[in-house]
Amino acid sequence: MSDDEPDLELLALLRQHLQGKLTISDEPETGVLEGAEYVYDNSIDVALDMRSCKNAAAAIYAQMQQKEYSPAKWSTHELHPLAKSESTVAFIFTMDLLNFSFWSAKPEAGRFAIMYCGKRWTGYWSLVAALQRALDEGIPITDSHFWQNEEECTLEVLKQVFRSCTDEEIPLLEERLACLREAGTVLYEKYECSPVKLIAAADGSAARLVNILARDFRCFRDEHRFEGRRKPIRFLKRAQIFVADIWACFEGESYGAFRDIDKITMFADYRVPQILNTMGCLAYSPPLDTAIRLKKDFSTGGKWEMQLRACSIWCVELIRREIKRNHPDAEINAILIDFFLYDTMKEIEEAGDESAPHHRTRSIWY
Ligand SMILES: Nc1nc2c(c(CN[C@H]3C=C[C@H](O)[C@@H]3O)cn2[C@@H]2O[C@H](COP(=O)(O)O)[C@@H](O)[C@H]2O)c(=O)[nH]1
């Protein structure tokens, strides 16, 4: 938009304000849900099946109750840190700086994997295992001073941290080092080298913390242009899952106390669309469905990838609303629904069901 063109959105807001119809609260919004709805409304390759979403809401609620999904469940995963401490905040920050792109084009036996505690870990769990193993081996991988030290924190050392028990290396190793370097510099310049100070800057607002991460760290700024829309579509997946992991780990207390945690949306990755499609909630156009089944590469910010990510966010939001409509007192939000869907998809995959492959994008965003 050129400078001399009127900003119609701003004029509309001013008109509403002058008519007393607009209360501008200082509570921040992330804009993620608004962007997701816009893409959903303009999608031609992905649609939501409302009957399936209603059925899914009932099934998800029942299973979440039965499996007692709550923030406390986060700490029951054997690799997640248990201490409610600053070092756990640093661990989670490191983890969510690097929490992206673990999928492999190789068969299960040959894919990147980490041996730790006598078990073979793949995907997201390979990341958590690698960080735990590094700490056991005396590598200060969660310390932002280390990330900035170019003599100590080298690509070779990071290769050692993520050494695989197969022939395949972790994808995007150089990009992961760049994320640590940038984060170390920003923490040094703005937050006294402390992720705890970063959380404190949000003053108890989850939305504000997501916005701070997107503003101050390029590697968290997961936002992309969609067709002709002037404002970028914000997914902010790793920024949001960082806030969610802190909230869940600390069970809404201490560093995890956020008064607006319910503003966090589903995390637009490659796993949850997969299970939403399996449940019939997400429907794909034939060309898109074929491209996913043929395991084609999807470009970052491409129209198919944007629709998949945005419609997944919007789908989980509709499922959340349906659950709350039927169970107004249910302590459920998009985070817990997302965690449940991710874990369930992993159980389906571990049972060997490869019937619905996921879309494949290689990026640092998810
Ligand atoms: N939407 C969503 N995406 C999630 C997670 C998690 C793990 N969260 C744990 C914490 C609490 C929960 O109960 C989970 O146990 C990882 N991912 C993303 O998936 C991808 C990895 O997939 P795979 O290669 O198959 O492991 C990668 O983009 C990673 O960033 C989640 O919860 N939701």
Side-chain angles (χ1 to χ4, degrees):
M1 188 180 83
S2 65
D3 289 345
D4 53 3
E5 274 177 44
D7 184 331
L8 300 178
E9 276 178 51
L10 182 59
L11 286 175
L13 280 174
L14 285 176
R15 187 177 305 113
Q16 284 179 320
H17 183 54
L18 292 172
Q19 292 164 350
K21 291 179 188 164
L22 187 75
T23 50
I24 297 177
S25 86
D26 67 351
E27 273 303 289
E29 300 292 338
T30 65
V32 174
L33 207 50
E34 171 211 351
E37 185 177 21
Y38 176 87
V39 175
Y40 165 68
D41 288 341
N42 291 275
S43 283
I44 52 172
D45 296 285
V46 181
L48 300 192
D49 178 279
M50 291 305 157
R51 171 56 50 201
S52 299
C53 287
K54 278 176 75 73
N55 294 340
I60 289 166
Y61 176 71
Q63 289 179 57
M64 286 180 73
Q65 293 299 98
Q66 189 214 334
K67 293 184 175 183
E68 298 177 338
Y69 260 79
S70 74
K73 188 163 178 66
W74 191 94
S75 301
T76 64
H77 291 289
E78 63 181 293
L79 291 184
H80 280 161
L82 288 177
K84 306 301 179 200
S85 63
E86 277 204 40
S87 61
T88 291
V89 170
F91 187 96
I92 294 171
F93 185 66
T94 309
M95 187 181 79
D96 285 325
L97 267 173
L98 304 174
N99 189 359
F100 56 81
S101 213
F102 303 107
W103 61 265
S104 169
K106 288 186 180 274
E108 189 55 27
R111 71 179 291 194
F112 164 71
I114 295 276
M115 280 307 283
Y116 180 64
C117 290
K119 283 187 183 176
R120 181 180 181 277
W121 306 91
T122 58
Y124 163 79
W125 297 108
S126 68
L127 166 65
V128 192
L131 297 179
Q132 295 285 19
R133 182 176 67 180
L135 292 174
D136 292 354
E137 294 173 350
I139 299 171
I141 191 64
T142 59
D143 179 346
S144 67
H145 299 90
F146 177 69
W147 305 340
Q148 290 187 88
N149 185 325
E150 302 202 4
E151 280 72 49
E152 286 189 17
C153 184
T154 63
L155 191 60
E156 278 318 301
V157 166
L158 211 62
K159 205 173 277 187
Q160 179 63 8
V161 167
F162 290 106
R163 65 188 183 278
S164 174
C165 61
T166 69
D167 294 339
E168 187 177 50
E169 204 179 75
I170 189 170
L172 302 179
L173 187 67
E174 288 84 351
E175 288 78 358
R176 295 181 204 271
L177 179 55
C179 288
L180 294 177
R181 289 264 200 273
E182 183 206 3
T185 303
V186 174
L187 284 178
Y188 169 74
E189 289 172 350
K190 297 190 167 195
Y191 299 102
E192 299 171 47
C193 303
S194 160
V196 163
K197 292 275 192 306
L198 169 66
I199 293 173
D203 186 27
S205 165
R208 182 169 289 119
L209 183 49
V210 168
N211 290 339
I212 286 171
L213 288 163
R215 181 193 67 200
D216 292 353
F217 299 82
R218 269 190 329 280
C219 68
F220 278 115
R221 199 172 302 144
D222 174 13
E223 52 186 41
H224 313 273
R225 287 260 167 253
F226 181 71
E227 294 174 357
R229 190 172 191 257
R230 195 166 58 82
K231 280 167 66 178
I233 302 296
R234 308 185 95 200
F235 293 117
L236 305 181
K237 180 257 175 187
R238 288 193 291 105
Q240 291 205 99
I241 204 169
F242 168 65
V243 176
D245 284 337
I246 291 288
W247 169 72
C249 171
F250 289 87
E251 298 180 46
E253 305 290 328
S254 170
Y255 302 117
F258 298 106
R259 59 182 172 277
D260 59 345
I261 191 65
D262 290 351
K263 286 184 181 174
I264 300 295
T265 73
M266 167 264 176
F267 316 113
D269 74 325
Y270 51 86
R271 280 293 172 209
V272 177
Q274 192 180 10
I275 190 167
L276 291 174
N277 177 243
T278 304
M279 296 174 84
C281 301
L282 280 190
Y284 300 153
S285 67
L288 170 56
D289 190 63
T290 302
I292 291 176
R293 292 186 184 285
L294 292 178
K295 300 183 178 179
K296 297 287 188 191
D297 286 341
F298 282 43
S299 59
T300 300
K303 67 182 177 72
W304 279 352
E305 190 229 18
M306 292 289 284
Q307 291 175 65
L308 283 165
R309 298 186 80 192
C311 293
S312 298
I313 289 172
W314 191 244
C315 183
V316 170
E317 172 60 13
L318 296 186
I319 288 171
R320 184 196 67 79
R321 290 180 186 180
E322 175 68 6
I323 290 174
K324 291 299 276 183
R325 196 172 64 80
N326 292 317
H327 310 279
D329 302 334
E331 303 224 330
I332 275 185
N333 57 21
I335 296 173
L336 293 177
I337 295 170
D338 174 288
F339 283 172
F340 168 79
L341 289 171
Y342 171 87
D343 289 338
T344 303
M345 188 62 235
K346 295 300 287 177
E347 286 163 17
I348 293 170
E349 191 197 48
E350 270 136 36
D353 178 351
E354 283 284 314
S355 56
H358 59 74
H359 76 277
R360 293 176 170 200
T361 296
R362 192 64 83 195
S363 84
I364 69 162
W365 304 121
Y366 59 98

